[in-house]
Amino acid sequence: MNVEAGKPTGLVAATFTPLSEQGEINLSQIKPYVAYLIKKQGVKRVFVNGTTGEGMSLSVKERKALAEEWCHQGNNKLEQVIVHVGCMSLKDSQELARHAVTAGAHGIAVISPSFLKPSSVDSLKLYLKEVAMVAPSLPFYYYHLPAVTGVNLAARDVLEGIETQIPSFRGVKFSGTDLLDLGLCVSYCPAHWSVLYGVDEQLLGGLAMGACGAVGSTYNYIGLTNNKMLALFEGGDLTTAREIEFKIQAVMSDLFKLGFDLPMNKQLMSEVSGINLGPPRLPLQPCDPLPIATSALSLQRLHYTLDSSSGQKS
């Protein structure tokens, strides 16, 4: 794959990492996972080893194995496999970036280190450059997630002149809630870059601001519904798109009241999809299955309601 590969648009599922009950990665679940995303959710792009995938809790060896399996199982099926290679260690990030090339990834993404943090935009850009330069053939994306990293540098400032330092730079996964910063990123980015929005429950707002697509965990199990909303938005039917967004937000609001977090999210995906994703890795712990079963039923009702509505919504 080279840096002129297709521009990611539409929905990108941030994948969960299947684990056994003993806490080991379970690669056998990737094949049915790929089939489920394509056939049941209409999602053909994935973002592997990110926050949803517990990437920072995995070893370099484990992350390599997952990247290889997603690329292998997605070959000629998925349109794009973007591998997150960010680590606390620059050397580990570089090792994963090199590996992504040989694994057959369609792009790599890097989040800012969050323990010893960059003190300025320039230091962050230097870090990103050092990772990108070892895999110059792959499109490179900056993963902006200030609420988790604690790196509160405006994404727009990071983008300023970055292509002169990183020729393979192709966009940003914007997982912040600052719509001003998002808008400035969109207005700055050239046509061959992608601005992918990363706040699932506010997808329609991100699209209205000009994001060309989205990366999110909930697209694993409500991708079909979000794809309908996306098609309506692109077709100019904002009123019906908004109706779908409000239904999604009502379900998400209920989940937030239950303490929606990564363990709950992962278990919810298992319940809805039937794929055995196993528990999260410590220090995260499995959640109470009762509210999850109720939430899974709510999601199934959401799909049913939309499918039973007018042909415009089905």
Side-chain angles (χ1 to χ4, degrees):
M1 183 57 60
N2 59 55
V3 293
E4 301 310 320
K7 172 180 173 178
T9 58
L11 299 184
V12 183
T15 59
F16 297 93
T17 294
L19 296 176
S20 69
E21 292 301 320
Q22 293 72 40
E24 302 300 322
I25 60 171
N26 184 3
L27 298 179
S28 68
Q29 298 303 299
I30 304 299
K31 183 176 181 178
Y33 198 155
V34 170
Y36 172 81
L37 287 176
I38 296 171
K39 296 177 183 178
K40 298 296 185 181
Q41 300 300 332
V43 174
K44 297 182 179 181
R45 296 178 175 89
V46 295
F47 186 89
V48 177
N49 290 338
T51 305
T52 300
E54 304 174 74
M56 294 300 185
S57 295
L58 303 173
S59 68
V60 168
K61 181 180 179 180
E62 288 173 323
R63 290 173 68 169
K64 285 182 177 181
L66 285 159
E68 287 175 9
E69 191 66 12
W70 273 103
C71 289
H72 172 65
Q73 296 298 341
N75 187 38
N76 295 322
K77 298 173 187 174
L78 294 171
E79 293 181 6
Q80 285 168 323
V81 177
I82 300 173
V83 178
H84 173 243
V85 301
C87 298
M88 295 301 101
S89 161
L90 172 61
K91 295 300 182 182
D92 287 347
S93 292
Q94 290 175 322
E95 183 176 346
L96 288 171
R98 291 189 188 94
H99 176 266
V101 177
T102 60
H106 299 87
I108 55 174
V110 174
I111 200 169
S112 170
S114 57
F115 187 76
L116 296 177
K117 300 177 177 63
S119 59
S120 66
V121 168
D122 286 343
S123 58
L124 174 56
K125 288 164 76 170
L126 282 172
Y127 180 88
L128 299 177
K129 176 184 177 182
E130 289 295 313
V131 179
M133 67 187 299
V134 305
S137 65
L138 288 181
F140 182 92
Y141 303 91
Y142 167 52
Y143 180 7
H144 179 67
L145 184 57
V148 172
T149 63
V151 178
N152 295 304
L153 302 171
R156 168 62 181 83
D157 294 340
V158 177
L159 299 185
E160 180 69 34
I162 197 167
E163 202 168 18
T164 62
Q165 298 183 53
I166 306 175
S168 59
F169 192 85
R170 289 298 180 270
V172 56
K173 177 184 184 294
F174 191 101
S175 296
T177 56
D178 184 345
L179 293 182
L180 171 60
D181 193 20
L182 174 64
L184 291 172
C185 288
V186 171
S187 64
Y188 177 80
C189 287
H192 63 287
W193 289 10
S194 292
V195 177
L196 300 168
Y197 195 49
V199 185
D200 300 22
E201 65 277 8
Q202 297 176 184
L203 173 57
L204 189 57
L207 295 174
M209 290 299 296
C212 67
V215 180
S217 59
T218 65
Y219 308 140
N220 284 282
Y221 48 84
I222 53 173
L224 186 65
T225 303
N226 278 284
N227 268 323
K228 292 175 182 177
M229 181 179 71
L230 187 58
L232 288 163
F233 174 80
E234 291 176 345
D237 188 352
L238 182 59
T239 298
T240 310
R242 190 184 294 123
E243 290 174 3
I244 294 179
E245 179 75 302
F246 289 162
K247 288 182 172 68
I248 294 171
Q249 288 179 336
V251 174
M252 293 304 298
S253 178
D254 290 340
L255 288 171
F256 290 138
K257 290 173 184 176
L258 293 171
F260 189 61
D261 57 6
L262 199 154
M264 183 180 291
N265 202 1
K266 189 174 189 180
Q267 181 62 28
L268 188 55
M269 171 60 176
S270 291
E271 292 287 342
V272 174
S273 68
I275 299 169
N276 182 16
L277 295 175
R281 176 164 286 180
L282 289 170
L284 301 180
Q285 293 188 307
C287 61
D288 183 349
L290 183 59
I292 286 302
T294 302
S295 299
L297 182 60
S298 295
L299 289 168
Q300 291 166 355
R301 286 172 176 165
L302 172 63
H303 288 307
Y304 177 79
T305 299
L306 293 172
D307 287 340
S308 301
S309 299
S310 67
Q312 196 172 25
K313 297 179 188 178
S314 63

